[in-house]
Amino acid sequence: MHRRDFTTHLLRAGALAALPLPAAERQPLRDVANARHLLAGAAVSYRELQREDCRALLAREASILVSENDMKWQSIHPAPDRYDYTRADALLAFAKTSNAKVRGHNLCWHQQLPRWFPSTATSGNAGELLRAHIAEVAGHYAGRIHSWDVVNEAVFVEDGRSDGLRKSPWLELAGPSYIDLAFTTAAKADPQAILTYNDYDLEQDTEAHEAKRRAVLALLKGLRARNVPVQALGIQSHLVASTSPYQWSGFHRFLDGAEKLGLTIFITELDVDDTALPADIADRDRQVAACYQDFLSNALKHHNLQAILTWGFTDPDTWLNHFHPRKDGTPQRPLPFDGQLQPKPAYFAMEQSIEAAPRR
Ligand code: 9MR
């Protein structure tokens, strides 16, 4: 029996009062966000997309979705002469039925390149490979994507270049102009999508994050000055809960800088790494939620912020368990829903910060 049928059955049986049904009483997050002219949603894995309970939750809560992995080169371009849209198309089909927008992630990144890439890409053909891929993939989805992460994580100050650019395969094979090429190609292939530069480590008031913010703003300024069609900045927002709360002055200056360049802002991959927090679940959930609230209430002061997406939506599916496991072996709790698809304090923190956001 589907959950809705089950509920109807119980309603008829007069048994509803005994059932804990918080979802039915809550206003969905997408409606709370919509009232503030914001989109709210999450990254979705193909595994979750196939689960009826996950689909029902996403349909209810999310007005914007992004595929966690299925639009990356590795998945969508499995052989030099072959593209595979099966999984990504499934997300678009679902989004259509649930009336959600879809972000495209991503068209150009140094990770999750296909296995054929290293032996095929050369300095002679890398620019053309990039152009052809973007023309094909952005062309396939033209008119159906809210915003594309055209270039992802191109800045890595630690690589020591004066322009802050990452020594990625793209930079090394095609030179720094690969970024211009990616955006101009995407604009041609899909004139409707909001073309986004997306990156991480932009939030904290530390020297490292400040240096990254400087390099990202310089990159964006250069793109705008050359009339390269970049329209939005994606701030991934993989936050780390710690005992010393974040300070936000550098972050605010950064968002002001992006606004001056006329860029829209998206929070694209929000989650909170809880490795520094104690094992106690209630305590952890409370501190993770406090981090959500602190971050979002600051970010939402900026009127050019238009969408908030978490990177996954249920704790058991988080990438953090694979990439940053807790030392005590317990799973991380970085997301708004738990493994039973119940909303956690982080969910209510999102809801409250959006409700409290200045009118936009
Ligand atoms: O969550 C994604 C994980 O399943 C992949 O294995 C990983 C590959 O590097 O990428 C993860 O998503 C990343 C996103 O695409 C870009 N920003 C950082 C995300 C977390 O690593």
Side-chain angles (χ1 to χ4, degrees):
M1 199 185 284
H2 285 300
R3 188 191 166 121
R4 205 181 300 130
D5 300 336
F6 182 55
T7 309
T8 316
H9 168 78
L10 285 172
L11 265 174
R12 284 207 195 98
L16 197 58
L19 248 197
L21 271 183
E25 288 146 31
R26 269 188 293 112
Q27 199 188 4
L29 193 64
R30 64 184 287 166
D31 294 351
V32 175
N34 189 43
R36 286 286 180 282
H37 302 290
L38 282 164
L39 295 164
V44 187
S45 68
Y46 188 60
R47 193 179 45 250
E48 291 165 318
L49 190 60
Q50 289 167 304
R51 281 179 48 180
E52 195 48 53
D53 53 355
C54 287
R55 292 164 74 97
L57 182 70
L58 288 167
R60 185 188 140 80
E61 302 287 346
S63 50
I64 188 160
L65 300 168
V66 61
S67 171
E68 184 176 359
N69 286 306
D70 298 328
M71 286 193 184
K72 295 173 180 174
W73 274 65
Q74 195 180 57
S75 334
I76 218 161
H77 198 165
D81 56 353
R82 195 163 65 81
Y83 290 86
D84 182 353
Y85 295 108
T86 320
R87 291 180 169 211
D89 280 357
L91 179 69
L92 267 97
F94 167 65
K96 199 170 181 190
T97 64
S98 69
N99 194 24
K101 297 189 186 301
V102 177
R103 303 203 70 242
H105 176 83
N106 55 56
L107 293 170
C108 177
W109 193 25
H110 63 286
Q111 283 187 32
Q112 285 178 293
L113 285 164
R115 216 170 297 156
W116 55 264
F117 186 85
S119 58
T120 307
T122 64
S123 52
N125 69 10
E128 176 51 22
L129 273 180
L130 182 65
R131 194 208 57 75
H133 174 94
I134 294 179
E136 164 62 35
V137 176
H140 177 84
Y141 289 115
R144 294 186 285 157
I145 295 289
H146 166 267
S147 48
W148 264 114
D149 289 334
V150 177
V151 176
N152 193 39
E153 305 175 5
V155 168
F156 192 60
V157 177
E158 290 84 338
D159 274 348
R161 287 175 55 99
S162 60
D163 57 9
L165 291 184
R166 181 188 294 273
K167 291 181 179 164
S168 72
W170 293 116
L171 182 100
E172 312 226 269
L173 294 173
S177 64
Y178 84 89
I179 300 177
D180 298 30
L181 174 66
F183 278 100
T184 48
T185 309
K188 255 188 234 149
D190 186 352
Q192 287 175 49
I194 304 170
L195 305 184
T196 308
Y197 175 76
N198 192 47
D199 216 327
Y200 64 93
D201 278 359
L202 298 166
E203 302 84 12
Q204 298 176 21
D205 255 10
T206 58
E207 208 17 74
H209 283 216
E210 184 60 27
K212 182 133 185 186
R213 286 190 287 262
R214 260 199 308 272
V216 167
L217 265 191
L219 167 66
L220 293 168
K221 236 182 228 163
L223 293 173
R224 296 295 265 187
R226 295 192 295 281
N227 282 324
V228 175
V230 57
Q231 290 135 4
L233 167 65
I235 302 178
Q236 292 186 7
S237 314
H238 293 293
L239 308 181
V240 181
S242 88
T243 37
S244 50
Y246 281 43
Q247 304 295 315
W248 303 104
S249 55
F251 184 63
H252 284 301
R253 273 197 306 275
F254 179 59
L255 292 192
D256 289 342
E259 191 164 16
K260 272 201 202 105
L261 292 174
L263 297 168
T264 294
I265 304 288
F266 305 128
I267 303 296
T268 50
E269 305 185 14
L270 178 59
D271 55 16
V272 175
D273 180 324
D274 71 11
T275 40
L277 300 181
D280 179 77
I281 285 182
D283 192 14
R284 249 201 282 166
D285 284 358
R286 187 181 54 73
Q287 294 197 53
V288 165
C291 197
Y292 268 80
Q293 180 109 32
D294 189 22
F295 172 66
L296 287 177
S297 57
N298 277 285
L300 283 162
K301 289 183 179 149
H302 296 266
H303 288 249
N304 48 341
L305 173 55
Q306 291 189 0
I308 302 168
L309 294 95
T310 53
W311 200 243
F313 54 102
T314 69
D315 286 337
D317 261 303
T318 178
W319 68 289
L320 287 165
N321 285 333
H322 310 285
F323 289 77
H324 299 279
R326 284 176 61 87
K327 289 212 174 67
D328 62 13
T330 62
Q332 290 229 26
R333 300 182 59 84
L335 288 166
F337 293 92
D338 66 18
Q340 279 70 50
L341 308 192
Q342 293 304 311
K344 297 166 53 207
Y347 174 92
F348 297 107
M350 288 182 82
E351 182 183 53
Q352 281 160 24
S353 12
I354 293 173
E355 267 170 353
R359 293 245 161 235
R360 48 186 59 242

